[in-house]
């Protein structure tokens, strides 16, 4: 392992993490400043209460469409498989690539050379 390269990468990583922390700090500082400016507005409290109520409503009562159960998910997967498989013929192939007629002929005409090959004795069974 190249120690110099490792040290450089480690140093770059640490510098990047430090920059990320600084950016996060600046973002938080900016948002705090923005919230302080907004809090001076007379309609701030009204909007804050309205947003809190809306957030609570969203958190406490999820829509029926958002609820997903394992049974429902499995049922949808089965339906998708049926639809997908209804269009395909029942042929087992190792590839979905289109086959050339010459390739199919060559594969059918191919003879394995097993009968001509001699298997060497197993060295581990001495």
């Amino acid at each position: 392992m190249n120690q110099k390269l490792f040290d450089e990468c480690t140093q770059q990583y640490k510098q990047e993490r430090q920059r990320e922390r600084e950016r996060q700090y600046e973002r938080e500082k900016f948002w705090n400043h923005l919230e302080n400016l907004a809090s001076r507005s007379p309609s701030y409290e009204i909007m804050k209460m309205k947003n809190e109520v809306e957030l609570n409503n969203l958190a406490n009562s999820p829509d029926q469409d958002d609820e997903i159960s394992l049974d429902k998910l499995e049922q949808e997967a089965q339906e998708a498989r049926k639809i997908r498989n209804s269009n395909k013929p029942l042929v087992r192939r190792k590839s979905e690539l289109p086959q050339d007629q010459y390739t199919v002929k060559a594969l059918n005409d191919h003879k394995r050379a097993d009968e001509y090959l001699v298997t060497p004795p197993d060295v581990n069974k001495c």
Side-chain angles (χ1 to χ4, degrees):
M1 182 161 87
N2 187 346
Q3 188 63 36
K4 183 179 177 182
L5 178 63
F6 179 78
D7 291 341
E8 287 176 13
C9 290
T10 305
Q11 185 180 12
Q12 287 177 356
Y13 174 76
K14 288 179 181 179
Q15 288 174 352
E16 186 177 323
R17 296 287 293 170
Q18 182 63 29
R19 284 192 300 265
E20 287 176 12
R21 279 190 232 116
E22 290 171 0
R23 277 185 288 198
Q24 185 66 25
Y25 174 76
E26 291 297 322
R27 284 185 193 129
E28 289 175 8
K29 185 177 170 183
F30 174 75
W31 279 109
N32 288 335
H33 176 69
L34 189 61
E35 188 173 2
N36 287 336
L37 287 176
S39 65
R40 295 179 192 154
S41 171
S43 61
Y44 175 75
E45 288 299 323
I46 297 168
M47 293 302 290
K48 184 177 177 183
M49 295 298 284
K50 183 178 178 182
N51 286 339
E52 287 176 0
V53 169
E54 288 179 8
L55 285 175
N56 286 336
N57 288 341
L58 287 174
N60 293 335
S61 61
D63 293 349
Q64 293 295 330
D65 295 338
D66 291 343
E67 293 182 18
I68 298 176
S69 66
L70 181 60
D71 296 331
K72 185 177 179 181
L73 189 61
E74 288 176 352
Q75 182 182 7
E76 289 178 5
Q78 288 291 338
E79 291 173 6
R81 282 189 207 115
K82 287 178 186 176
I83 293 170
R84 184 185 66 185
N85 291 337
S86 66
N87 298 337
K88 292 183 178 181
L90 295 175
V91 176
R92 183 174 178 176
R93 294 169 63 179
K94 292 184 179 182
S95 174
E96 293 293 325
L97 295 174
Q99 291 187 349
D100 181 27
Q101 65 180 357
Y102 299 110
T103 306
V104 173
K105 185 179 183 312
L107 288 172
N108 287 335
D109 294 343
H110 176 70
K111 303 285 188 232
R112 292 185 61 142
D114 287 342
E115 61 190 53
Y116 303 109
L117 296 175
V118 179
T119 307
D122 192 4
V123 200
N124 296 328
K125 292 186 178 179
C126 292

